[in-house]
Amino acid sequence: MANTNSLLEAKPPWGKEDQTWAVRQRQQFEVEQLLYAYVEYIDDDLLEELPQLFTEDGSYQVISKENVDRGLPAPTMGCNNRNMLIDRIISLRNANIFSEHAYRHVLSNVRVKAVEGDELLVQSNYVVTATRNDGIARVYSTGKYVDRIVFEDGSPKFKQKRVIFDTHLIDTLLVRPL
Amino acid sequence: MSTEVPHAEKPAQALRVPYKAFTERDYLELEQDRIFHGKVWAYVALEAEIPEPGDYKSTYVGLSPVIVTRAEDGSVHVMENRCAHRGALVCEKRHGNASSLQCVYHQWDYNLKGELNGVPFLRGVRGKGGMCKPFDKSQHGLTKLRVATLNGIVFASYSEEVEPLEEYLGPVAVEIIKRNCRRPLKLLGFQRQRIHSNWKLAAENSRDPYHAGLLHLFLNTFGLWRNTSETASISLDETGRHCLLRTETHADEEAAEHADQAQHAYNPDFALRDASVVQSRREFDDNINLVVLSVFPNLVVHQLGNALSTRHVIPISENEFEMVWTQFGFVDDDEELEQLRITQGNLIGPSGYVSLEDGDAMERVQRSVTHDEDTKSFMGMVDQNTRSMDYFATENPIASFWRYYQEVMGLDSEFDIPGQDLAAAGSR
């Protein structure tokens, strides 16, 4: 049985060498919290909180499963660093014009697939419904997140986030992070 | 005493399009017959999507499912994606590679040119059953469309009478296609958009220079719009069905001013933190930084900086269509240029900084015109004698589209074509 104190004190990053049950539980908890914060900030329209979940050089890419399967590089939304993600949010708030809609994510299947040095490779499933001002909730997009998560000052952050959407038909437009 | 500036001397003109053209199924059915199966060349693919023998793509001309193939001898073919037997889709996948096209239902087998290879149990089994005689395989292939390509863009037509492709396109469109696709293409990706509106709203939208600076506010907001350093130009072909919108910028200022604008925007709160989305490398011999070439009926050839693409309009129903953006570069692009194209891809497509509003705008029209279908739009910025403009506040290209549409559809008195003065058009 792991010593409770040592579990609480265990500090990231955790390497391949240390994949004890306690460590794995802790990893699962941390990555889930990061992912839940990510979707909560989008759904509750707290977009300005989103960039802090990324490292400064953290990339964010929304790309269709079709393009990934065919080995094609062009994403729908591609932020090469955190500043570009900030620009997306500022543009949404101040420049872009679109009809009202609210997202609600359902997230599941969160799994740490690998630990590569400092990075946790994490995959999860999402379904996003969008409710427009007609009040009807429709499935807007479903797919998976394939993320590389690292720890900065003890907090988990996305170093690379890829939203790979199965629903490769974008319904009308995509302006909000997915 | 009025101090108003008098109106221009040319007579007031207006175009009024009845909204039922966007909402009634009858128009869609007639369009199938008179347009998509008529004397047009319809876009179906880039050759770069079917580079190898055996490659195929399934797509649509209007509502009709078609297959685009590369045969063993390297030739490109387009045929209906409907088994000659009982009508099943022959190719269900969007793309693939096969040595023959076989319908899964009864294994009727076609070669890559759409000709029937064989039919199982043609002669029955042990003398019983089998196909009626005589059975001439050559009469039971997949319905072929004519194919023409230009610089790696594949067009197809149902018509035996349509003029040759380059004549159909006209000299301006041919020049632009040869410019934008001047070397062998390399696919970078697909973006697909489902828009809940009639497909003709997309035809209007790409021919609408008026809305660009008013709906797409990204460039204005971030202080990147440089009206003084750009010249606009619009040209219509002889028939008025195709439209080229382009802007040119002054190349020696371009790189400096974009970097400068990003730092010193009109409102410092709205400076881009990372201006790489708008930093392009000069790759053409001219100063044109924006091209929107609308080719009737279903294609837009697009350039924005280094982001090159085609847009394929696919009607689904009278109130829904799909827009497929195919992003490409050239096979000999260096890695940095390819990366520039991908980064600038953020400007275009369904989440494009300067394009995302279009999907919503088109839907806003459809949502409101679904009832009261006898009402009409009003477009007064029309001068029917002008095919060439160096100003953006014009609705000539849209009017030209509708004039051509009206003629090709045989709808003589449906639309109020320019020439009626505003007073007579009244308050309908």
Side-chain angles (χ1 to χ4, degrees), chain B residues 117-151:
Chain B
N117 283 333
V119 165
F121 306 121
L122 184 71
R123 291 179 202 79
V125 180
R126 293 191 213 99
K128 294 184 180 167
M131 187 67 77
C132 57
K133 294 184 175 65
F135 179 71
D136 177 4
K137 278 198 307 195
S138 72
Q139 299 302 305
H140 300 277
L142 302 179
T143 304
K144 295 187 189 192
L145 284 77
R146 294 175 61 206
V147 181
T149 65
L150 179 62
N151 283 57

PDB file of all heavy atoms in Angstrom, chain B residues 117-151:
ATOM      1  N   ASN B 117     -17.253  -4.935 -67.277  1.00  0.00           N
ATOM      2  CA  ASN B 117     -16.368  -6.079 -67.495  1.00  0.00           C
ATOM      3  C   ASN B 117     -17.159  -7.367 -67.509  1.00  0.00           C
ATOM      4  O   ASN B 117     -16.986  -8.215 -68.385  1.00  0.00           O
ATOM      5  CB  ASN B 117     -15.327  -6.190 -66.365  1.00  0.00           C
ATOM      6  CG  ASN B 117     -14.199  -5.196 -66.487  1.00  0.00           C
ATOM      7  OD1 ASN B 117     -13.864  -4.757 -67.580  1.00  0.00           O
ATOM      8  ND2 ASN B 117     -13.611  -4.848 -65.355  1.00  0.00           N
ATOM      9  N   GLY B 118     -17.985  -7.517 -66.484  1.00  0.00           N
ATOM     10  CA  GLY B 118     -18.663  -8.804 -66.358  1.00  0.00           C
ATOM     11  C   GLY B 118     -19.776  -8.778 -65.336  1.00  0.00           C
ATOM     12  O   GLY B 118     -19.867  -7.895 -64.486  1.00  0.00           O
ATOM     13  N   VAL B 119     -20.610  -9.817 -65.460  1.00  0.00           N
ATOM     14  CA  VAL B 119     -21.809  -9.970 -64.643  1.00  0.00           C
ATOM     15  C   VAL B 119     -21.814 -11.403 -64.127  1.00  0.00           C
ATOM     16  O   VAL B 119     -21.720 -12.332 -64.938  1.00  0.00           O
ATOM     17  CB  VAL B 119     -23.054  -9.722 -65.537  1.00  0.00           C
ATOM     18  CG1 VAL B 119     -24.320 -10.216 -64.871  1.00  0.00           C
ATOM     19  CG2 VAL B 119     -23.171  -8.255 -65.899  1.00  0.00           C
ATOM     20  N   PRO B 120     -21.897 -11.640 -62.823  1.00  0.00           N
ATOM     21  CA  PRO B 120     -21.939 -13.022 -62.329  1.00  0.00           C
ATOM     22  C   PRO B 120     -23.170 -13.755 -62.837  1.00  0.00           C
ATOM     23  O   PRO B 120     -24.233 -13.159 -63.012  1.00  0.00           O
ATOM     24  CB  PRO B 120     -22.006 -12.853 -60.806  1.00  0.00           C
ATOM     25  CG  PRO B 120     -21.522 -11.484 -60.532  1.00  0.00           C
ATOM     26  CD  PRO B 120     -21.889 -10.658 -61.734  1.00  0.00           C
ATOM     27  N   PHE B 121     -22.986 -15.051 -63.104  1.00  0.00           N
ATOM     28  CA  PHE B 121     -24.104 -15.912 -63.527  1.00  0.00           C
ATOM     29  C   PHE B 121     -24.793 -15.401 -64.780  1.00  0.00           C
ATOM     30  O   PHE B 121     -25.998 -15.585 -64.960  1.00  0.00           O
ATOM     31  CB  PHE B 121     -25.119 -16.086 -62.380  1.00  0.00           C
ATOM     32  CG  PHE B 121     -24.487 -16.591 -61.118  1.00  0.00           C
ATOM     33  CD1 PHE B 121     -24.569 -15.859 -59.951  1.00  0.00           C
ATOM     34  CD2 PHE B 121     -23.758 -17.785 -61.114  1.00  0.00           C
ATOM     35  CE1 PHE B 121     -23.960 -16.313 -58.781  1.00  0.00           C
ATOM     36  CE2 PHE B 121     -23.142 -18.241 -59.955  1.00  0.00           C
ATOM     37  CZ  PHE B 121     -23.248 -17.500 -58.783  1.00  0.00           C
ATOM     38  N   LEU B 122     -24.021 -14.831 -65.672  1.00  0.00           N
ATOM     39  CA  LEU B 122     -24.557 -14.354 -66.941  1.00  0.00           C
ATOM     40  C   LEU B 122     -25.273 -15.491 -67.679  1.00  0.00           C
ATOM     41  O   LEU B 122     -26.326 -15.327 -68.286  1.00  0.00           O
ATOM     42  CB  LEU B 122     -23.415 -13.788 -67.791  1.00  0.00           C
ATOM     43  CG  LEU B 122     -23.765 -13.141 -69.114  1.00  0.00           C
ATOM     44  CD1 LEU B 122     -24.471 -11.820 -68.886  1.00  0.00           C
ATOM     45  CD2 LEU B 122     -22.505 -12.918 -69.952  1.00  0.00           C
ATOM     46  N   ARG B 123     -24.623 -16.677 -67.619  1.00  0.00           N
ATOM     47  CA  ARG B 123     -25.181 -17.818 -68.331  1.00  0.00           C
ATOM     48  C   ARG B 123     -25.977 -18.737 -67.412  1.00  0.00           C
ATOM     49  O   ARG B 123     -26.236 -19.891 -67.730  1.00  0.00           O
ATOM     50  CB  ARG B 123     -24.060 -18.621 -69.008  1.00  0.00           C
ATOM     51  CG  ARG B 123     -23.425 -17.849 -70.155  1.00  0.00           C
ATOM     52  CD  ARG B 123     -22.303 -18.623 -70.819  1.00  0.00           C
ATOM     53  NE  ARG B 123     -21.413 -17.707 -71.507  1.00  0.00           N
ATOM     54  CZ  ARG B 123     -20.475 -16.966 -70.907  1.00  0.00           C
ATOM     55  NH1 ARG B 123     -20.277 -17.094 -69.603  1.00  0.00           N
ATOM     56  NH2 ARG B 123     -19.729 -16.130 -71.600  1.00  0.00           N
ATOM     57  N   GLY B 124     -26.365 -18.249 -66.283  1.00  0.00           N
ATOM     58  CA  GLY B 124     -27.148 -19.067 -65.374  1.00  0.00           C
ATOM     59  C   GLY B 124     -26.284 -20.090 -64.653  1.00  0.00           C
ATOM     60  O   GLY B 124     -25.057 -20.031 -64.701  1.00  0.00           O
ATOM     61  N   VAL B 125     -26.951 -21.006 -63.982  1.00  0.00           N
ATOM     62  CA  VAL B 125     -26.252 -22.066 -63.251  1.00  0.00           C
ATOM     63  C   VAL B 125     -26.810 -23.403 -63.714  1.00  0.00           C
ATOM     64  O   VAL B 125     -28.016 -23.647 -63.611  1.00  0.00           O
ATOM     65  CB  VAL B 125     -26.483 -21.916 -61.728  1.00  0.00           C
ATOM     66  CG1 VAL B 125     -25.750 -23.020 -60.972  1.00  0.00           C
ATOM     67  CG2 VAL B 125     -26.033 -20.544 -61.252  1.00  0.00           C
ATOM     68  N   ARG B 126     -25.926 -24.251 -64.249  1.00  0.00           N
ATOM     69  CA  ARG B 126     -26.339 -25.570 -64.739  1.00  0.00           C
ATOM     70  C   ARG B 126     -27.539 -25.459 -65.662  1.00  0.00           C
ATOM     71  O   ARG B 126     -28.525 -26.195 -65.562  1.00  0.00           O
ATOM     72  CB  ARG B 126     -26.653 -26.526 -63.587  1.00  0.00           C
ATOM     73  CG  ARG B 126     -25.413 -26.879 -62.792  1.00  0.00           C
ATOM     74  CD  ARG B 126     -25.658 -28.028 -61.822  1.00  0.00           C
ATOM     75  NE  ARG B 126     -24.841 -27.824 -60.622  1.00  0.00           N
ATOM     76  CZ  ARG B 126     -25.298 -27.296 -59.485  1.00  0.00           C
ATOM     77  NH1 ARG B 126     -26.558 -26.964 -59.363  1.00  0.00           N
ATOM     78  NH2 ARG B 126     -24.480 -27.134 -58.464  1.00  0.00           N
ATOM     79  N   GLY B 127     -27.457 -24.496 -66.560  1.00  0.00           N
ATOM     80  CA  GLY B 127     -28.484 -24.376 -67.591  1.00  0.00           C
ATOM     81  C   GLY B 127     -29.750 -23.681 -67.151  1.00  0.00           C
ATOM     82  O   GLY B 127     -30.694 -23.533 -67.941  1.00  0.00           O
ATOM     83  N   LYS B 128     -29.822 -23.247 -65.906  1.00  0.00           N
ATOM     84  CA  LYS B 128     -31.063 -22.606 -65.449  1.00  0.00           C
ATOM     85  C   LYS B 128     -30.807 -21.141 -65.128  1.00  0.00           C
ATOM     86  O   LYS B 128     -29.794 -20.780 -64.536  1.00  0.00           O
ATOM     87  CB  LYS B 128     -31.595 -23.305 -64.197  1.00  0.00           C
ATOM     88  CG  LYS B 128     -32.036 -24.706 -64.474  1.00  0.00           C
ATOM     89  CD  LYS B 128     -32.649 -25.342 -63.244  1.00  0.00           C
ATOM     90  CE  LYS B 128     -33.078 -26.758 -63.608  1.00  0.00           C
ATOM     91  NZ  LYS B 128     -33.386 -27.538 -62.421  1.00  0.00           N
ATOM     92  N   GLY B 129     -31.709 -20.276 -65.486  1.00  0.00           N
ATOM     93  CA  GLY B 129     -31.619 -18.846 -65.192  1.00  0.00           C
ATOM     94  C   GLY B 129     -30.641 -18.168 -66.123  1.00  0.00           C
ATOM     95  O   GLY B 129     -30.415 -18.575 -67.244  1.00  0.00           O
ATOM     96  N   GLY B 130     -30.051 -17.089 -65.634  1.00  0.00           N
ATOM     97  CA  GLY B 130     -29.098 -16.357 -66.465  1.00  0.00           C
ATOM     98  C   GLY B 130     -29.757 -15.180 -67.158  1.00  0.00           C
ATOM     99  O   GLY B 130     -30.972 -14.988 -67.109  1.00  0.00           O
ATOM    100  N   MET B 131     -28.927 -14.422 -67.779  1.00  0.00           N
ATOM    101  CA  MET B 131     -29.350 -13.163 -68.399  1.00  0.00           C
ATOM    102  C   MET B 131     -30.117 -13.435 -69.694  1.00  0.00           C
ATOM    103  O   MET B 131     -29.822 -14.376 -70.421  1.00  0.00           O
ATOM    104  CB  MET B 131     -28.098 -12.335 -68.703  1.00  0.00           C
ATOM    105  CG  MET B 131     -28.341 -10.926 -69.202  1.00  0.00           C
ATOM    106  SD  MET B 131     -29.086  -9.834 -67.982  1.00  0.00           S
ATOM    107  CE  MET B 131     -27.674  -9.467 -66.965  1.00  0.00           C
ATOM    108  N   CYS B 132     -31.119 -12.594 -69.977  1.00  0.00           N
ATOM    109  CA  CYS B 132     -31.830 -12.689 -71.259  1.00  0.00           C
ATOM    110  C   CYS B 132     -30.846 -12.466 -72.399  1.00  0.00           C
ATOM    111  O   CYS B 132     -29.815 -11.838 -72.233  1.00  0.00           O
ATOM    112  CB  CYS B 132     -32.949 -11.657 -71.316  1.00  0.00           C
ATOM    113  SG  CYS B 132     -32.367  -9.952 -71.077  1.00  0.00           S
ATOM    114  N   LYS B 133     -31.185 -12.968 -73.583  1.00  0.00           N
ATOM    115  CA  LYS B 133     -30.319 -12.782 -74.744  1.00  0.00           C
ATOM    116  C   LYS B 133     -31.049 -11.947 -75.789  1.00  0.00           C
ATOM    117  O   LYS B 133     -32.260 -12.048 -75.914  1.00  0.00           O
ATOM    118  CB  LYS B 133     -29.988 -14.147 -75.355  1.00  0.00           C
ATOM    119  CG  LYS B 133     -29.149 -15.028 -74.472  1.00  0.00           C
ATOM    120  CD  LYS B 133     -28.808 -16.317 -75.222  1.00  0.00           C
ATOM    121  CE  LYS B 133     -27.867 -17.205 -74.445  1.00  0.00           C
ATOM    122  NZ  LYS B 133     -28.424 -17.723 -73.202  1.00  0.00           N
ATOM    123  N   PRO B 134     -30.384 -11.144 -76.578  1.00  0.00           N
ATOM    124  CA  PRO B 134     -28.945 -10.884 -76.485  1.00  0.00           C
ATOM    125  C   PRO B 134     -28.630  -9.869 -75.389  1.00  0.00           C
ATOM    126  O   PRO B 134     -29.444  -8.997 -75.118  1.00  0.00           O
ATOM    127  CB  PRO B 134     -28.615 -10.294 -77.862  1.00  0.00           C
ATOM    128  CG  PRO B 134     -29.871  -9.640 -78.299  1.00  0.00           C
ATOM    129  CD  PRO B 134     -31.021 -10.391 -77.658  1.00  0.00           C
ATOM    130  N   PHE B 135     -27.484  -9.998 -74.784  1.00  0.00           N
ATOM    131  CA  PHE B 135     -27.066  -9.039 -73.758  1.00  0.00           C
ATOM    132  C   PHE B 135     -25.771  -8.403 -74.229  1.00  0.00           C
ATOM    133  O   PHE B 135     -24.735  -9.076 -74.329  1.00  0.00           O
ATOM    134  CB  PHE B 135     -26.864  -9.730 -72.410  1.00  0.00           C
ATOM    135  CG  PHE B 135     -26.400  -8.796 -71.318  1.00  0.00           C
ATOM    136  CD1 PHE B 135     -27.258  -7.842 -70.788  1.00  0.00           C
ATOM    137  CD2 PHE B 135     -25.096  -8.868 -70.841  1.00  0.00           C
ATOM    138  CE1 PHE B 135     -26.827  -6.969 -69.791  1.00  0.00           C
ATOM    139  CE2 PHE B 135     -24.656  -8.008 -69.835  1.00  0.00           C
ATOM    140  CZ  PHE B 135     -25.541  -7.052 -69.315  1.00  0.00           C
ATOM    141  N   ASP B 136     -25.837  -7.143 -74.556  1.00  0.00           N
ATOM    142  CA  ASP B 136     -24.676  -6.439 -75.089  1.00  0.00           C
ATOM    143  C   ASP B 136     -24.050  -5.637 -73.959  1.00  0.00           C
ATOM    144  O   ASP B 136     -24.583  -4.595 -73.549  1.00  0.00           O
ATOM    145  CB  ASP B 136     -25.142  -5.536 -76.237  1.00  0.00           C
ATOM    146  CG  ASP B 136     -24.010  -4.702 -76.811  1.00  0.00           C
ATOM    147  OD1 ASP B 136     -22.853  -4.880 -76.364  1.00  0.00           O
ATOM    148  OD2 ASP B 136     -24.290  -3.868 -77.684  1.00  0.00           O
ATOM    149  N   LYS B 137     -22.910  -6.118 -73.474  1.00  0.00           N
ATOM    150  CA  LYS B 137     -22.264  -5.472 -72.320  1.00  0.00           C
ATOM    151  C   LYS B 137     -22.015  -3.984 -72.556  1.00  0.00           C
ATOM    152  O   LYS B 137     -22.085  -3.182 -71.624  1.00  0.00           O
ATOM    153  CB  LYS B 137     -20.907  -6.146 -72.041  1.00  0.00           C
ATOM    154  CG  LYS B 137     -21.024  -7.410 -71.240  1.00  0.00           C
ATOM    155  CD  LYS B 137     -19.708  -7.833 -70.598  1.00  0.00           C
ATOM    156  CE  LYS B 137     -18.570  -7.927 -71.582  1.00  0.00           C
ATOM    157  NZ  LYS B 137     -17.422  -8.683 -71.005  1.00  0.00           N
ATOM    158  N   SER B 138     -21.740  -3.631 -73.796  1.00  0.00           N
ATOM    159  CA  SER B 138     -21.370  -2.233 -74.059  1.00  0.00           C
ATOM    160  C   SER B 138     -22.533  -1.273 -73.826  1.00  0.00           C
ATOM    161  O   SER B 138     -22.343  -0.071 -73.739  1.00  0.00           O
ATOM    162  CB  SER B 138     -20.837  -2.086 -75.490  1.00  0.00           C
ATOM    163  OG  SER B 138     -21.909  -2.203 -76.403  1.00  0.00           O
ATOM    164  N   GLN B 139     -23.737  -1.827 -73.751  1.00  0.00           N
ATOM    165  CA  GLN B 139     -24.913  -0.989 -73.479  1.00  0.00           C
ATOM    166  C   GLN B 139     -25.191  -0.840 -71.992  1.00  0.00           C
ATOM    167  O   GLN B 139     -26.147  -0.162 -71.612  1.00  0.00           O
ATOM    168  CB  GLN B 139     -26.161  -1.616 -74.139  1.00  0.00           C
ATOM    169  CG  GLN B 139     -26.054  -1.736 -75.653  1.00  0.00           C
ATOM    170  CD  GLN B 139     -25.809  -0.383 -76.293  1.00  0.00           C
ATOM    171  OE1 GLN B 139     -26.581   0.547 -76.068  1.00  0.00           O
ATOM    172  NE2 GLN B 139     -24.733  -0.263 -77.048  1.00  0.00           N
ATOM    173  N   HIS B 140     -24.396  -1.501 -71.176  1.00  0.00           N
ATOM    174  CA  HIS B 140     -24.700  -1.527 -69.746  1.00  0.00           C
ATOM    175  C   HIS B 140     -23.521  -1.094 -68.894  1.00  0.00           C
ATOM    176  O   HIS B 140     -23.252  -1.664 -67.834  1.00  0.00           O
ATOM    177  CB  HIS B 140     -25.197  -2.923 -69.350  1.00  0.00           C
ATOM    178  CG  HIS B 140     -26.438  -3.324 -70.087  1.00  0.00           C
ATOM    179  ND1 HIS B 140     -27.693  -2.940 -69.698  1.00  0.00           N
ATOM    180  CD2 HIS B 140     -26.585  -4.043 -71.237  1.00  0.00           C
ATOM    181  CE1 HIS B 140     -28.577  -3.422 -70.564  1.00  0.00           C
ATOM    182  NE2 HIS B 140     -27.935  -4.086 -71.514  1.00  0.00           N
ATOM    183  N   GLY B 141     -22.829  -0.081 -69.369  1.00  0.00           N
ATOM    184  CA  GLY B 141     -21.758   0.490 -68.568  1.00  0.00           C
ATOM    185  C   GLY B 141     -22.303   1.620 -67.709  1.00  0.00           C
ATOM    186  O   GLY B 141     -23.489   1.944 -67.754  1.00  0.00           O
ATOM    187  N   LEU B 142     -21.405   2.227 -66.934  1.00  0.00           N
ATOM    188  CA  LEU B 142     -21.807   3.382 -66.138  1.00  0.00           C
ATOM    189  C   LEU B 142     -21.915   4.584 -67.071  1.00  0.00           C
ATOM    190  O   LEU B 142     -21.106   4.750 -67.988  1.00  0.00           O
ATOM    191  CB  LEU B 142     -20.756   3.658 -65.053  1.00  0.00           C
ATOM    192  CG  LEU B 142     -20.490   2.497 -64.084  1.00  0.00           C
ATOM    193  CD1 LEU B 142     -19.415   2.875 -63.081  1.00  0.00           C
ATOM    194  CD2 LEU B 142     -21.764   2.067 -63.382  1.00  0.00           C
ATOM    195  N   THR B 143     -22.916   5.410 -66.849  1.00  0.00           N
ATOM    196  CA  THR B 143     -23.127   6.576 -67.720  1.00  0.00           C
ATOM    197  C   THR B 143     -21.916   7.489 -67.659  1.00  0.00           C
ATOM    198  O   THR B 143     -21.516   7.938 -66.584  1.00  0.00           O
ATOM    199  CB  THR B 143     -24.371   7.354 -67.259  1.00  0.00           C
ATOM    200  OG1 THR B 143     -25.481   6.464 -67.251  1.00  0.00           O
ATOM    201  CG2 THR B 143     -24.657   8.528 -68.192  1.00  0.00           C
ATOM    202  N   LYS B 144     -21.358   7.763 -68.829  1.00  0.00           N
ATOM    203  CA  LYS B 144     -20.122   8.552 -68.861  1.00  0.00           C
ATOM    204  C   LYS B 144     -20.420  10.038 -68.993  1.00  0.00           C
ATOM    205  O   LYS B 144     -21.355  10.441 -69.679  1.00  0.00           O
ATOM    206  CB  LYS B 144     -19.262   8.124 -70.053  1.00  0.00           C
ATOM    207  CG  LYS B 144     -18.775   6.704 -69.938  1.00  0.00           C
ATOM    208  CD  LYS B 144     -17.788   6.361 -71.048  1.00  0.00           C
ATOM    209  CE  LYS B 144     -17.499   4.875 -71.017  1.00  0.00           C
ATOM    210  NZ  LYS B 144     -16.369   4.499 -71.858  1.00  0.00           N
ATOM    211  N   LEU B 145     -19.577  10.833 -68.364  1.00  0.00           N
ATOM    212  CA  LEU B 145     -19.582  12.271 -68.596  1.00  0.00           C
ATOM    213  C   LEU B 145     -18.338  12.615 -69.394  1.00  0.00           C
ATOM    214  O   LEU B 145     -17.360  11.875 -69.373  1.00  0.00           O
ATOM    215  CB  LEU B 145     -19.548  13.037 -67.266  1.00  0.00           C
ATOM    216  CG  LEU B 145     -20.849  13.116 -66.460  1.00  0.00           C
ATOM    217  CD1 LEU B 145     -21.150  11.839 -65.717  1.00  0.00           C
ATOM    218  CD2 LEU B 145     -20.799  14.292 -65.494  1.00  0.00           C
ATOM    219  N   ARG B 146     -18.381  13.710 -70.095  1.00  0.00           N
ATOM    220  CA  ARG B 146     -17.190  14.186 -70.795  1.00  0.00           C
ATOM    221  C   ARG B 146     -16.251  14.812 -69.776  1.00  0.00           C
ATOM    222  O   ARG B 146     -16.695  15.369 -68.776  1.00  0.00           O
ATOM    223  CB  ARG B 146     -17.589  15.220 -71.846  1.00  0.00           C
ATOM    224  CG  ARG B 146     -18.420  14.630 -72.972  1.00  0.00           C
ATOM    225  CD  ARG B 146     -18.890  15.717 -73.909  1.00  0.00           C
ATOM    226  NE  ARG B 146     -17.769  16.413 -74.509  1.00  0.00           N
ATOM    227  CZ  ARG B 146     -17.820  17.660 -74.952  1.00  0.00           C
ATOM    228  NH1 ARG B 146     -18.945  18.363 -74.850  1.00  0.00           N
ATOM    229  NH2 ARG B 146     -16.770  18.231 -75.495  1.00  0.00           N
ATOM    230  N   VAL B 147     -14.965  14.724 -70.044  1.00  0.00           N
ATOM    231  CA  VAL B 147     -13.955  15.214 -69.112  1.00  0.00           C
ATOM    232  C   VAL B 147     -13.040  16.194 -69.819  1.00  0.00           C
ATOM    233  O   VAL B 147     -12.669  15.984 -70.974  1.00  0.00           O
ATOM    234  CB  VAL B 147     -13.090  14.045 -68.584  1.00  0.00           C
ATOM    235  CG1 VAL B 147     -12.051  14.556 -67.595  1.00  0.00           C
ATOM    236  CG2 VAL B 147     -13.956  12.989 -67.935  1.00  0.00           C
ATOM    237  N   ALA B 148     -12.701  17.272 -69.121  1.00  0.00           N
ATOM    238  CA  ALA B 148     -11.663  18.181 -69.620  1.00  0.00           C
ATOM    239  C   ALA B 148     -10.868  18.667 -68.423  1.00  0.00           C
ATOM    240  O   ALA B 148     -11.436  18.894 -67.351  1.00  0.00           O
ATOM    241  CB  ALA B 148     -12.284  19.353 -70.372  1.00  0.00           C
ATOM    242  N   THR B 149      -9.573  18.809 -68.598  1.00  0.00           N
ATOM    243  CA  THR B 149      -8.750  19.279 -67.476  1.00  0.00           C
ATOM    244  C   THR B 149      -7.957  20.505 -67.900  1.00  0.00           C
ATOM    245  O   THR B 149      -7.644  20.685 -69.078  1.00  0.00           O
ATOM    246  CB  THR B 149      -7.761  18.196 -67.009  1.00  0.00           C
ATOM    247  OG1 THR B 149      -6.837  17.941 -68.065  1.00  0.00           O
ATOM    248  CG2 THR B 149      -8.456  16.916 -66.622  1.00  0.00           C
ATOM    249  N   LEU B 150      -7.655  21.340 -66.924  1.00  0.00           N
ATOM    250  CA  LEU B 150      -6.830  22.516 -67.176  1.00  0.00           C
ATOM    251  C   LEU B 150      -5.923  22.696 -65.972  1.00  0.00           C
ATOM    252  O   LEU B 150      -6.413  22.879 -64.852  1.00  0.00           O
ATOM    253  CB  LEU B 150      -7.699  23.759 -67.371  1.00  0.00           C
ATOM    254  CG  LEU B 150      -6.947  25.079 -67.619  1.00  0.00           C
ATOM    255  CD1 LEU B 150      -6.134  25.007 -68.915  1.00  0.00           C
ATOM    256  CD2 LEU B 150      -7.925  26.253 -67.673  1.00  0.00           C
ATOM    257  N   ASN B 151      -4.619  22.587 -66.206  1.00  0.00           N
ATOM    258  CA  ASN B 151      -3.641  22.770 -65.126  1.00  0.00           C
ATOM    259  C   ASN B 151      -3.992  21.993 -63.859  1.00  0.00           C
ATOM    260  O   ASN B 151      -3.880  22.520 -62.747  1.00  0.00           O
ATOM    261  CB  ASN B 151      -3.466  24.251 -64.790  1.00  0.00           C
ATOM    262  CG  ASN B 151      -2.607  24.949 -65.818  1.00  0.00           C
ATOM    263  OD1 ASN B 151      -2.921  24.944 -67.007  1.00  0.00           O
ATOM    264  ND2 ASN B 151      -1.510  25.540 -65.382  1.00  0.00           N
TER     265      ASN B 151
END
